[in-house]
Amino acid sequence: MEKAVLNQAKSLKDYGIIYLSGPIENGVSENVCKEIIEFNLTDKVDHIQLIINSPGGSCPAGFAIIDIMGWSRLPVYTTGIGMIASMALLVFMTGHKGRRVITPRTSILSHRYSAMTWGNHSQLLAGRKEQDLEHQRIVDHYLCYSSIKTREELEINLLRDVDTWLTSDEAIRFGIADIIQPLSKP
């Protein structure tokens, strides 16, 4: 019996690791939120490590993850690899201050969000209100989780009319990330 226990492979969950990859949509968001809740219900780990490689996605789905990260009694450390873009960048930024790590080759994209709406005039007006509210949530998030202090500075540097691709060093300078993880050499 002891041999069987020793031979069991450990999973990412055993180490408190969640891997968020691909577009952030409702199903992905639901799974990440459930995993964060589950880690909070057990005493197996003292922190959660959220590894992110995502082009972004739905704002409501991303803000659901962000809200659960804020609710978590366990600190959530974030690591950006591959790409952290759009909503994935906002999720990454929410990580525990001092523990937001990126690799030197991570592609980092900050931009204004986009939306599609359709319907009659009344529906378009209602949709516009939600778009304005969503934009304000994004602005407030950047002002809370970066070193940028004003909306004007934010719109000049990160929420411009065009996509803003950042180097790892720029992410550190703007307070979006805390550490650039050095890569080992062969």
Side-chain angles (χ1 to χ4, degrees), residues 38-171:
E38 287 173 14
F39 283 128
N40 276 271
L41 296 176
T42 66
D43 290 325
K44 293 182 180 178
V45 296
D46 62 356
H47 70 275
I48 298 167
Q49 180 67 56
L50 178 59
I51 300 172
I52 305 168
N53 179 16
S54 170
S58 160
C59 287
F63 277 120
I65 295 170
I66 288 167
D67 288 346
I68 288 295
M69 289 170 72
W71 165 87
S72 176
R73 70 174 172 75
L74 297 171
V76 180
Y77 303 166
T78 53
T79 300
I81 62 171
M83 175 184 282
I84 50 174
S86 193
M87 181 48 69
L89 178 58
L90 273 71
V91 172
F92 170 82
M93 290 167 45
T94 309
H96 188 77
K97 188 79 169 136
R99 299 296 188 132
R100 300 174 303 171
V101 177
I102 51 175
T103 59
R105 293 187 288 252
T106 302
S107 295
I108 305 162
L109 170 66
S110 175
H111 65 175
R112 294 178 186 224
Y113 93 103
S114 60
M116 291 182 12
T117 57
W118 57 88
N120 65 35
H121 184 252
S122 297
Q123 292 166 322
L124 293 173
L125 291 174
R128 176 57 197 252
K129 180 177 181 182
E130 173 56 16
Q131 291 167 3
D132 289 342
L133 292 170
E134 199 73 79
H135 180 71
Q136 189 59 49
R137 287 180 199 115
I138 292 167
V139 167
D140 291 344
H141 192 79
Y142 272 94
L143 294 176
C144 182
Y145 290 96
S146 75
S147 60
I148 294 175
K149 300 299 177 213
T150 67
R151 184 181 185 126
E152 294 75 28
E153 183 185 357
L154 179 61
E155 290 176 350
I156 289 169
N157 291 296
L158 298 177
L159 293 181
R160 303 179 317 160
D161 289 335
V162 297
D163 288 349
T164 304
W165 290 96
L166 303 169
T167 65
S168 299
D169 289 329
E170 289 171 320

